[in-house]
Amino acid sequence: MKQNISFALKLSKKSLALELLIAIQLSVVFALLVIMICAIEDRTVYYSIYEDAFSQDGAIIMPNVAGSNLVYMDDIYECFDKATNVTGEGCTLINYDEDPDKAYLLDIYTDRAPDTGGTLAVYSEEEFDEIPPYLIEGDLPKSDSEYLECLACDTFGYEVGEIVEASEYSTGNSVKIKICGILQDDQMMFNGGNGANYIYNGDFRDLYYYLNGGLRTSMYFLTSKENLESFGIEPQVNWFNHFVVNYEEGAYTSEELQNLSAEYGFTLISTTESYYEESNLYVRQEMYTLLPIAISILIITIFTAIITTVISTMKNLRNYAVLYLCGASWKNCGVINFINYVLISIVTLIIDTVFFIVGQETFLTDTVIRVNTEIVLICTTVLVVFLLLSLVVPLIVTSGKQPRDVLKTEFRN
């Protein structure tokens, strides 16, 4: 094996320019693959949270803002006594002393002054795992015995590590908030925002709040549900939150739902059937556009692997023939080519790693491009296939060739 590695390094030195071009070509293909996977995930991951709920009988509701009938999650279950599941999260409002240095710049069009309060939205630990929010800097909230760790909306001047003295709106209980990260603008948040900023499309996007700090006059914080409850604060459902209420087929008639809406003061937005159809239609439309591009990139990757391997093998065919006459076999030559391509793959990984690390801090900051474990596994699988092709293709190219014939041809050339 050491001898094979030594031969592979020598061949790499002789074909350094070609192999560097192959590495650059592969790095471009893998970068495009990562970008396409991220684009597809961005269009499906938000729907995945609601897909199961939409596929069952149910209704989408929004409790009356600041209403007294539906305040907590238990109230929804009390209202819908036949409910089998409720999907959604509450939030709470907080008050804090206004710091002039942190005051929001007045909007020259609306001339609205900043509020000395804000929304404290929550995600469960599962939701943080499934739809982690995009951050400009910092980390996701962790449990802290002294402070309530929160992510803060951008444009309000808060910095990571800063402490905010606040009190919960409904109970007046004081709480110290520690800023653990800054949220990136222009992303969808799982409930809890401002009703004026919701965009209604008739599909799953309606149940998300589109965060844009430039449209807010009050602060937006995000923490984990578990952390908030550890401070004795229960999230409320009556602050512009949307919920999917599932129940058995035929449990409620349309008239009964309307009566419940009038009695408990919630807005009956639609049925799950309608949202299920529209959401699937939206996702399919996006996939029809993106999937052909993704498949094309995979095909290009395979052809790149085959063509570059054939070119490399043919270029080194004379060297393989000499090694064959010196006691090696075509199989040994295939192993040497495989080692050679392992080296090329390492260079490819270095190029892409540098590209995405630099990109996350600069030109990819405001995009949906995020390299996660799933993407790494997909790229690793593609890379393994590429390496296997680099091992098999040379054996196919050299099959039926005699070393002396190769050397005669090389001598005539």
Side-chain angles (χ1 to χ4, degrees), residues 8-9 11-13 15 19 312 316 320 335-345:
L9 290 173
L11 290 178
S12 295
K13 290 180 180 179
S15 307
E19 293 182 4
S312 178
N316 290 315
Y320 293 152
V335 171
I336 292 171
N337 190 74
F338 174 78
I339 295 172
N340 194 28
Y341 268 81
V342 169
L343 297 175
I344 292 174
S345 299

Side-chain angles (χ1 to χ4, degrees), residues 4 7-8 11-12 19 305 308-314 316 320 330-344 386-387 389-395:
N4 287 338
F7 282 131
L11 290 178
S12 295
E19 293 182 4
T308 55
T309 304
V310 170
I311 292 173
S312 178
T313 302
M314 295 304 294
N316 290 315
Y320 293 152
W330 285 133
K331 183 179 179 181
N332 289 127
C333 296
V335 171
I336 292 171
N337 190 74
F338 174 78
I339 295 172
N340 194 28
Y341 268 81
V342 169
L343 297 175
I344 292 174
F386 168 73
L387 289 174
L389 286 173
S390 72
L391 183 62
V392 173
V393 171
L395 297 178

Side-chain angles (χ1 to χ4, degrees), residues 9-47:
L9 290 173
K10 291 178 180 178
L11 290 178
S12 295
K13 290 180 180 179
K14 292 182 178 180
S15 307
L16 186 60
L18 174 63
E19 293 182 4
L20 184 58
L21 287 174
I22 293 174
I24 293 173
Q25 182 183 15
L26 284 174
S27 63
V28 171
V29 171
F30 275 102
L32 290 174
L33 182 62
V34 170
I35 291 171
M36 189 52 56
I37 293 172
C38 289
I40 292 174
E41 281 190 345
D42 184 63
R43 286 157 175 77
T44 58
V45 68
Y46 292 102
Y47 178 43

Side-chain angles (χ1 to χ4, degrees), residues 83-195:
T84 56
N85 187 56
V86 177
T87 305
E89 293 292 355
C91 64
T92 189
L93 297 189
I94 58 171
N95 295 317
Y96 54 90
D97 294 332
E98 183 182 346
D99 182 345
D101 294 333
K102 307 298 181 187
Y104 174 72
L105 295 178
L106 298 182
D107 189 316
I108 61 174
Y109 297 105
T110 60
D111 196 32
R112 294 176 296 181
D115 297 328
T116 56
T119 300
L120 179 51
V122 297
Y123 278 19
S124 68
E125 291 181 354
E126 291 78 10
E127 286 146 9
F128 267 121
D129 288 336
E130 293 184 34
I131 47 172
Y134 296 134
L135 305 181
I136 296 175
E137 60 177 323
D139 300 300
L140 296 179
K142 299 185 292 294
S143 177
D144 191 306
S145 58
E146 183 179 2
Y147 302 109
L148 175 62
E149 288 203 358
C150 293
L151 301 171
C153 178
D154 193 20
T155 74
F156 283 76
Y158 287 101
E159 297 179 355
V160 174
E162 191 167 348
I163 308 299
V164 179
E165 298 276 354
S167 61
E168 203 269 328
Y169 175 80
S170 59
T171 64
N173 294 334
S174 62
V175 60
K176 291 183 178 180
I177 294 175
K178 182 179 180 180
I179 308 301
C180 62
I182 305 299
L183 290 164
Q184 180 179 305
D185 270 350
D186 301 321
Q187 63 174 309
M188 293 197 295
M189 310 303 298
F190 189 62
N191 278 338
N194 186 323

